[in-house]
Amino acid sequence: MEREAEAKDNLWRARLDAVLMHRIWGSLIFLGIVYIIFFLSFAIGDPLVRLIQTGTQLFSVWASRMLEPWPRLQSLLGEGVVGGVGGVLAFLPNVVLLFGAITVLENSGYMMRVSRLMSRIMKIMGLNGSSFAPPPAGIRLFGSRHPVHQEN
């Protein structure tokens, strides 16, 4: 019974690999997945970005009113610090969604398949296949002891 399940699983993986590793279809599927990831990261992230921008603007107005007696401090904190931190925080939802999707692809083994698929294209430039996307391999949410790109 277990061997039948393993055989079915191996057959399914072989069929999936035949499609994902195909020269043309594999590349088109990869481009489609990348497009979907970017589209969803911005479609889902934009409402969060607007919410963060509105919150930082409201906080900036409140901080400016509280610091009216001190115009230099008002300008520094109300416009400089809050505006700068708000600008960085506003981009955070898109980055988190994008890296979350890349992490899912990496953990599923798809990124390894794509690196083998891209190997032919990258050899033209004198690189190996894993050079097309080194950051997902070395960047982790809580840091990593592994280098982003290792020499072969």
Side-chain angles (χ1 to χ4, degrees):
M1 188 76 156
E2 270 185 41
R3 289 185 182 187
E4 290 176 18
E6 284 182 31
K8 282 185 179 181
D9 190 41
N10 287 337
L11 181 63
W12 171 250
R13 286 183 185 176
R15 288 180 181 170
L16 191 59
D17 279 344
V19 173
L20 293 177
M21 298 299 291
H22 190 268
R23 274 182 35 191
I24 296 170
W25 293 115
S27 299
L28 291 175
I29 290 170
F30 173 67
L31 290 175
I33 288 173
V34 168
Y35 174 77
I36 290 169
I37 288 172
F38 275 101
F39 176 77
L40 289 178
S41 70
F42 286 99
I44 295 170
D46 278 346
L48 298 171
V49 168
R50 284 194 293 273
L51 182 67
I52 291 172
Q53 287 174 338
T54 302
T56 55
Q57 287 172 352
L58 290 173
F59 185 74
S60 178
V61 168
W62 176 80
S64 293
R65 287 185 184 157
M66 295 299 287
L67 298 171
E68 275 186 39
W70 304 283
R72 289 186 181 174
L73 191 60
Q74 177 186 23
S75 175
L76 174 69
L77 293 177
E79 297 170 12
V81 174
V82 175
V85 170
V88 171
L89 286 177
F91 195 62
L92 195 60
N94 294 342
V95 172
V96 168
L97 290 168
L98 182 66
F99 273 92
I102 290 173
T103 301
V104 168
L105 289 178
E106 184 181 353
N107 289 337
S108 70
Y110 183 67
M111 294 300 275
M112 185 61 167
R113 288 176 173 86
V114 172
S115 70
R116 290 185 64 201
L117 183 67
M118 294 294 155
S119 176
R120 294 181 193 113
I121 297 169
M122 299 305 281
K123 279 185 182 177
I124 295 169
M125 295 178 268
L127 301 169
N128 63 14
S130 62
S131 299
F132 88 102
I139 296 175
R140 298 281 187 251
L141 192 58
F142 298 107
S144 176
R145 294 186 191 146
H146 305 288
V148 172
H149 181 59
Q150 296 177 346
E151 293 295 324
N152 289 336

